[in-house]
């Protein structure tokens, strides 16, 4: 089954022709992507915002680097620019859908609401940097996730890209679940960065997405003690618009809900393009 992704104009210019196919995999299999993982490690997705007009963008970037070093196998980061040359319409959409940006220096941790926060941010989804690590630690204290994600990326014979997303689960997942796939780039040189420092470059920058803005519907409502694996394949990705050497893929599943405070991310995964990420086993 294939369908054209319908993205608003700015993003559609880049991903025209990208197609998606869905399959249910019956295990066991000799393909390592199709082997049920023993456990579903909970990963953390930090989605934060930046603007070259704000010097705090540099400070936050350095702080994010420290967090990624501290939680190397668990923390995944996506950086959304606004009001500068890296801004996208999706960045504005995301900020609004998570409750609105009162300040550019905000971010969400698995889209969970803040608890025991500084600066009276309890109940908010978009938190100040001073509350990010506390929210990360809270998320890591939860039991294993209800699902796990594995990624396979590369190019086809005609040099267009593909991304395969494998989702393993045993219990029934809410029918409101959505799959979102981001394309990000590292090492983008700033142009008018206020407070710029020697050697600074933008990291984890959101460039595009392969799914609908709110994510693609995905049926994970089945259950099995032996486990089920769902595969979504995105093909015909035009790579001419990216520095592929610095390109990354992030995929995550979240529960879509009319209330922005109930859009929690169930799990996420990241891989460099031309790379793979098998199931987390540590």
């Amino acid at each position: 089954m294939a369908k054209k992704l319908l993205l608003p104009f700015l993003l559609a210019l880049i991903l025209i022709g990208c197609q998606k196919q869905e399959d249910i995999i019956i295990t066991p299999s000799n393909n390592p992507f199709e082997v049920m993982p023993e456990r579903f490690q909970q990963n953390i997705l930090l989605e934060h915002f930046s603007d070259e007009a704000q010097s705090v963008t540099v400070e936050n970037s350095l702080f994010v680097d420290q967090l990624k070093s501290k939680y190397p196998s668990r923390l995944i980061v996506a950086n959304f620019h606004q009001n500068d040359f890296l801004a996208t319409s999706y960045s504005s959409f995301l900020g609004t859908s998570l409750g609105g940006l009162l300040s550019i220096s905000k971010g969400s941790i698995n889209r969970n609401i803040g608890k025991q926060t500084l600066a009276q941010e309890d109940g908010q989804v978009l938190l100040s940097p001073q509350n990010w690590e506390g929210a990360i630690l809270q998320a890591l204290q939860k039991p294993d996730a209800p699902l796990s994600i594995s990624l396979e990326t590369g190019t086809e014979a005609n040099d267009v890209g593909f991304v395969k997303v494998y989702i393993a689960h045993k219990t029934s997942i809410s029918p409101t679940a959505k799959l979102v796939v981001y394309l990000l780039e590292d090492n983008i040189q700033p142009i008018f960065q206020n407070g710029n420092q020697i050697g600074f470059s933008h990291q984890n920058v959101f460039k595009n997405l392969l799914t609908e803005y709110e994510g693609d519907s995905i049926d994970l409502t089945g259950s099995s003690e032996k486990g089920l694996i769902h595969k979504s394949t995105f093909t015909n990705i035009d790579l001419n618009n990216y520095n592929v050497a610095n390109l990354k893929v992030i995929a995550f599943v979240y529960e879509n809900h009319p209330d922005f405070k109930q859009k929690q991310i169930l799990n996420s995964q990241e891989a460099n393009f031309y790379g793979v990420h098998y199931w987390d086993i540590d």
Side-chain angles (χ1 to χ4, degrees):
M1 179 178 66
K3 70 177 185 180
K4 293 267 186 156
L5 296 181
L6 302 178
L7 299 178
F9 180 72
L10 289 177
L11 297 183
L13 287 176
I14 299 179
L15 286 178
I16 287 175
C18 178
Q19 296 179 326
K20 176 188 171 188
Q21 177 178 327
E22 296 184 14
D23 300 288
I24 302 298
I25 297 169
I26 305 299
T27 59
S29 169
N30 292 326
N31 184 337
F33 290 103
E34 300 176 3
V35 175
M36 182 62 55
E38 293 184 0
R39 57 180 292 251
F40 302 157
Q41 174 180 284
Q42 179 69 67
N43 292 332
I44 310 300
L45 177 58
L46 164 59
E47 298 169 289
H48 75 100
F49 294 84
S50 299
D51 178 358
E52 282 206 332
Q54 307 293 327
S55 61
V56 72
T57 290
V58 178
E59 299 171 20
N60 289 345
S61 180
L62 297 175
F63 179 47
V64 167
D65 287 345
Q66 294 173 5
L67 290 175
K68 290 187 72 173
S69 296
K70 195 169 184 178
Y71 308 99
S73 63
R74 310 298 290 275
L75 180 61
I76 298 167
V77 179
N79 180 7
F80 298 87
H81 279 247
Q82 292 198 336
N83 309 315
D84 60 28
F85 77 105
L86 294 171
T88 66
S89 56
Y90 180 77
S91 297
S92 299
F93 166 84
L94 181 63
T96 300
S97 67
L98 296 183
L101 281 174
L102 299 178
S103 165
I104 201 69
S105 183
K106 296 283 187 176
S108 73
I109 307 297
N110 275 359
R111 301 185 181 179
N112 295 327
I113 60 171
K115 297 178 180 178
Q116 300 177 332
T117 60
L118 303 173
Q120 299 181 336
E121 291 186 335
D122 281 22
Q124 299 181 30
V125 176
L126 292 171
L127 305 175
S128 301
Q130 61 187 327
N131 287 314
W132 292 353
E133 186 166 18
I136 290 170
L137 291 172
Q138 291 173 10
L140 290 176
Q141 290 173 0
K142 295 180 179 179
D144 283 355
L147 57 87
S148 185
I149 299 174
S150 189
L151 294 173
E152 182 180 6
T153 71
T155 55
E156 301 170 297
N158 54 355
D159 291 329
V160 295
F162 72 83
V163 173
K164 296 180 182 180
V165 183
Y166 301 82
I167 303 171
H169 67 107
K170 293 184 177 180
T171 60
S172 177
I173 306 297
S174 169
T176 65
K178 296 275 190 176
L179 169 65
V180 180
V181 182
Y182 291 158
L183 296 179
L184 282 69
E185 274 189 35
D186 284 335
N187 303 319
I188 298 178
Q189 296 304 307
I191 296 179
F192 299 113
Q193 178 61 60
N194 190 19
N196 194 19
Q197 299 180 9
I198 296 175
F200 172 78
S201 59
H202 297 296
Q203 307 296 327
N204 313 301
V205 177
F206 171 85
K207 297 298 294 290
N208 219 317
L209 77 168
L210 303 183
T211 54
E212 304 275 358
Y213 269 32
E214 290 189 344
D216 289 353
S217 296
I218 182 170
D219 186 1
L220 303 175
T221 56
S223 62
S224 169
E225 291 184 3
K226 295 183 178 179
L228 300 168
I229 298 177
H230 182 286
K231 180 173 74 171
S232 292
T233 302
F234 301 86
T235 59
N236 203 32
I237 302 169
D238 185 357
L239 298 175
N240 292 319
N241 302 287
Y242 309 99
N243 182 344
V244 181
N246 296 326
L247 189 63
K248 301 189 293 191
V249 179
I250 289 177
F252 64 92
V253 175
Y254 81 104
E255 292 187 359
N256 193 25
H257 196 280
D259 184 351
F260 73 91
K261 295 184 178 182
Q262 299 185 50
K263 295 179 179 289
Q264 282 74 33
I265 291 173
L266 301 179
N267 216 348
S268 55
Q269 193 56 272
E270 177 183 54
N272 293 327
F273 204 85
Y274 287 125
V276 300
H277 195 130
Y278 295 109
W279 311 108
D280 291 313
I281 59 175
D282 56 341

